[in-house]
Amino acid sequence: MSRYRKGRRRAALLGITAGCVGAAVFLGVSVKLYRERKDTEAMIESRHATWEQNTAGESSDPPEAAPDPEKMLSEAAVSWNGKEYRRNTYMKAVLCMGVDRENTMTGGEEPGQRGQADGIFLAAWDTARNGLKILMIPRDAMTYLTPVSWDGTVRDEEYDHITLAFSYGDGYVKSCENMVREVEEMFKGLHVDHYMATDLSAVGILNEAVGGVTVTIPAGLSAADPQFQEGSRITLKGDQAEAFVRYRDTKEDHSALYRTLRSQEFITGFFDAAQKMAETDSQTVPRLFELTEEYMITDMAKDQYMGMVADILASEDLTSDHFYVLPGRAVVTETYDEYHVDEDAMTELLLELFYREA
């Protein structure tokens, strides 16, 4: 029952009581008591009128808490810059990680050997149209992490490079889950549906499986291989694939960012080679996953990740138009390279990839 109704009920009861007193007045009670009753009624009615005026339009239910802007993309419905958006349920977010370490991915690792996620990509997989778009996340992107010491002690939150999130786990499932959690935090609560992590050693295996990936060599790679001459177009053989993807000159500013762009070159070349192979060999996708299974960790069922790749290979070419770089700017500090994310531009891009305008 609302406070207003309760007040009216009390007023009614007081009115009945006052009526009895009035009758008593006419039966001989003093006129003074009668006047006091009338004054009391006037005071009660005045208080009710003031309360009704002050609470006009208010609900009896408690007000809803304002949405947290740091978690805005955790909601199915989002308001942004005067527009309304809803999460596209057909668009799945799959966090893909290339882990830099010398080992397979078949079990947990000791502290110091867990590696870092040097290649980080958020795949926007359109399950309705079998399409794919890839958001590349620079390893040096700065965000707030919850670090864990080698002995398992959880330390206070630190502003650091997103690549370190993988090393704060066990080098296996916990590391992947930690990466997912930290990426979701950085992306304002955007839900990541699945993850897939692969050791960078698998790059050479995949390259050989499709007969070599053809790439254009950018500047600054001759130190990795004498054949890597700027502007030349070569088909990678043997150890060249891993060198092309993995190499960076740590003395050069933003070398990790340039390596991320080379990853785009390799991925597009790989999909092109795999598509051509799949046209004549229906077992291409199963064979590729069989070769790299021990180098991979994922929470996706086998039919899911095989179906995803098979659908993408059968649907369209993967070109530079399908790739995005997380908006931000590269910064050089006294110690490490950093990448500072532009949060407004990031929000716009995530809405474009995973939401639709209502």
Side-chain angles (χ1 to χ4, degrees):
M1 180 181 296
S2 69
R3 292 174 57 189
Y4 178 75
R5 291 182 178 179
K6 289 181 179 179
R8 292 296 300 270
R9 183 180 179 183
R10 287 196 298 267
L13 292 174
L14 288 173
I16 294 171
T17 304
C20 294
V21 174
V25 170
F26 288 106
L27 293 175
V29 178
S30 69
V31 175
K32 180 181 179 181
L33 291 177
Y34 174 76
R35 288 176 177 174
E36 287 179 350
R37 176 185 64 78
K38 298 297 291 183
D39 290 342
T40 300
E41 283 184 341
M43 179 185 67
I44 292 173
E45 291 298 328
S46 176
R47 287 179 178 177
H48 282 169
T50 301
W51 180 86
E52 186 174 15
Q53 180 179 2
N54 291 340
T55 59
E58 289 186 4
S59 170
S60 59
D61 297 326
E64 293 184 3
D68 183 356
E70 295 300 318
K71 299 287 187 183
M72 62 175 292
L73 297 185
S74 64
E75 304 294 332
V78 174
S79 297
W80 178 257
N81 288 342
K83 296 181 179 180
E84 301 296 322
Y85 298 86
R86 294 195 66 84
R87 179 71 186 257
N88 186 346
T89 56
Y90 293 109
M91 193 68 71
K92 302 301 180 184
V94 182
L95 183 63
C96 303
M97 298 160 274
V99 181
D100 189 3
R101 74 181 192 195
E102 298 291 343
N103 208 337
T104 61
M105 304 284 275
T106 54
E109 294 294 328
E110 294 298 321
Q113 299 179 357
R114 293 166 181 172
Q116 298 178 6
D118 276 3
I120 312 171
F121 312 92
L122 188 64
W125 174 27
D126 189 341
T127 58
R129 300 175 180 84
N130 300 330
L132 182 71
K133 294 181 179 180
I134 298 176
L135 174 59
M136 298 187 294
I137 305 171
R139 72 183 297 280
D140 293 330
M142 303 298 290
T143 188
Y144 288 95
L145 303 176
T146 302
V148 180
S149 301
W150 287 5
D151 61 359
T153 303
V154 178
R155 306 198 304 272
D156 292 336
E157 190 176 65
E158 296 178 356
Y159 186 65
D160 216 327
H161 302 72
I162 187 65
T163 182
L164 296 175
F166 190 90
S167 66
Y168 293 146
D170 59 354
Y172 192 54
V173 172
K174 289 183 179 179
S175 285
C176 293
E177 292 174 345
N178 199 47
M179 279 294 300
V180 168
R181 181 170 60 253
E182 299 294 1
V183 168
E184 287 180 337
E185 286 283 335
M186 185 168 66
F187 285 175
K188 297 187 176 183
L190 179 79
H191 176 65
V192 174
D193 297 283
H194 298 289
Y195 64 77
M196 181 180 292
T198 306
D199 180 75
L200 290 179
S201 300
V203 169
I205 298 173
L206 290 170
N207 181 73
E208 292 301 305
V210 296
V213 173
T214 302
V215 296
T216 300
I217 303 298
L221 274 188
S222 58
D225 189 294
Q227 295 186 34
F228 288 173
Q229 299 301 313
E230 181 181 356
S232 62
R233 188 159 179 82
I234 69 172
T235 299
L236 302 172
K237 298 295 183 182
D239 296 335
Q240 288 181 328
E242 187 173 341
F244 180 82
V245 172
R246 201 170 205 162
Y247 175 80
R248 71 184 180 106
D249 184 356
T250 56
K251 296 178 182 179
E252 182 183 6
D253 293 339
H254 311 305
S255 58
L257 186 58
Y258 298 140
R259 183 171 65 179
T260 298
L261 298 177
R262 290 203 310 273
S263 296
Q264 174 184 331
E265 176 86 7
F266 181 85
I267 292 171
T268 54
F270 172 79
F271 268 87
D272 182 59
Q275 275 185 319
K276 292 177 180 177
M277 181 173 288
E279 289 174 358
T280 57
D281 184 358
S282 62
Q283 294 302 305
T284 296
V285 173
R287 187 180 302 111
L288 291 175
F289 279 109
E290 183 179 351
L291 289 170
T292 58
E293 188 173 8
E294 65 178 357
Y295 296 92
M296 182 179 67
I297 309 169
T298 183
D299 65 344
M300 301 175 73
K302 189 173 183 178
D303 62 326
Q304 283 182 311
Y305 61 73
M306 290 183 63
M308 177 180 70
V309 175
D311 288 346
I312 294 167
L313 289 178
S315 61
E316 60 182 346
D317 293 334
L318 196 65
T319 68
S320 59
D321 293 337
H322 295 84
F323 287 81
Y324 303 80
V325 178
L326 183 65
R329 60 188 180 92
V331 177
V332 179
T333 71
E334 295 181 358
T335 52
Y336 300 106
D337 291 341
E338 295 182 356
Y339 190 83
H340 294 180
V341 179
D342 182 332
E343 292 201 2
D344 285 347
M346 176 193 74
T347 302
E348 292 277 2
L349 180 55
L350 293 175
L351 288 172
E352 177 185 341
L353 291 175
F354 296 101
Y355 282 74
R356 54 182 174 80
E357 192 172 339

